[in-house]
Amino acid sequence: MSELSTAFVRLHARLAPVAFVPEVRLHQADEPIGLWELTEGEFRSDRPPPFWAFAWAGGQGLARYVTDHPELVTGRRVLDLASGSGLVAIAAARAGAATVRAVEVDELAVAAVALNAEANAVRVAAEYGDILDGDAGDAEVVLAGDVFYSEAMAKRMLRFLLRAARAGARVLVGDPGRAFLPRDRFDELAVYEVPVPPALESVRVKRTTVWQLRAGLPKGAD
């Protein structure tokens, strides 16, 4: 985590409670498009603004579920994929996980995860890198919030998550109805109405589902 990345997060996001998980505070940006221009130079609907700067619906729903069901992670080793702000990782740490590893491909996100963990007085190992072609290591629980937003990402993510499930990990996903979620691979655990910034989703509330991945064949397969 570079000092420059940390300074950028502090400058462009303010620490505030998360709408649907007020137990957790995150550094959050007030306005998405301006921040996107600062970090990537262009805003397009097929490339969402920086994940680290907002509490996305899938992450909020999954963090709420973990917070309300701490037995899921208590005493267990947890991996949070595509962690973004670190919301889900922090929820797992607050719920008593033995260890929490939060992985991101964005250096600014890694800085944000570390800052947010510190702000919530929990320990999270923020890691920079793309691990989707590998495995989940020794993780007993794998969590992923809002990761099926593009076809390419969905295919890679599903392969990784299936490997983790078949190795014995419990795999949970939070998803607000993204088009590329393979629903026939999952079992529904909970449904929430999650408040979101209209500038991100064009609505104020997203119906968000927490799913558990099945290691076996899709529903209806022989």
Side-chain angles (χ1 to χ4, degrees):
M1 180 179 67
S2 72
E3 293 183 4
L4 184 61
S5 294
T6 300
F8 186 93
V9 173
R10 290 188 186 277
L11 179 62
H12 294 287
R14 60 183 178 86
L15 192 62
V18 175
F20 200 59
V21 196
E23 299 93 333
V24 175
R25 296 189 304 158
L26 298 178
H27 288 82
Q28 302 171 70
D30 292 320
E31 196 277 317
I33 295 178
L35 180 60
W36 179 250
E37 290 170 345
L38 282 172
T39 56
E40 293 289 346
E42 182 180 7
F43 178 83
R44 298 201 307 269
S45 61
D46 63 335
R47 296 185 64 192
F51 282 114
W52 62 266
F54 307 96
W56 296 79
Q60 288 197 68
L62 187 53
R64 181 75 266 158
Y65 188 84
V66 169
T67 298
D68 293 343
H69 300 85
E71 67 280 0
L72 169 69
V73 299
T74 300
R76 294 182 170 89
R77 297 181 296 274
V78 175
L79 170 63
D80 179 27
L81 279 173
S83 188
S85 64
L87 170 58
V88 176
I90 291 165
R94 291 185 72 257
T99 62
V100 182
R101 177 186 176 204
V103 180
E104 254 293 344
V105 296
D106 181 350
E107 290 184 3
L108 289 172
V110 175
V113 171
L115 283 173
N116 290 332
E118 180 182 6
N120 288 275
V122 295
R123 181 173 295 180
V124 172
E127 177 181 328
Y128 174 72
D130 183 342
I131 66 170
L132 292 185
D133 292 329
D135 58 44
D138 65 355
E140 297 170 281
V141 179
V142 177
L143 305 172
D146 215 336
V147 294
F148 290 95
Y149 52 84
S150 75
E151 185 174 11
M153 177 68 162
K155 289 179 178 178
R156 294 190 69 212
M157 183 62 67
L158 179 61
R159 288 194 293 266
F160 180 94
L161 295 178
L162 283 170
R163 286 195 296 274
R166 289 165 182 166
R170 188 173 182 186
V171 177
L172 269 64
V173 167
D175 186 84
R178 303 300 184 203
F180 299 102
L181 175 74
R183 288 166 181 77
D184 59 346
R185 292 280 189 177
F186 291 87
D187 296 316
E188 181 182 300
L189 296 180
V191 180
Y192 302 110
E193 299 294 328
V194 178
V196 293
L200 291 179
E201 302 281 10
S202 301
V203 296
R204 294 188 179 276
V205 175
K206 289 287 285 187
R207 187 175 180 84
T208 300
T209 304
V210 175
W211 302 92
Q212 179 167 318
L213 180 65
R214 283 178 289 102
L217 295 171
K219 293 176 183 176
D222 294 329

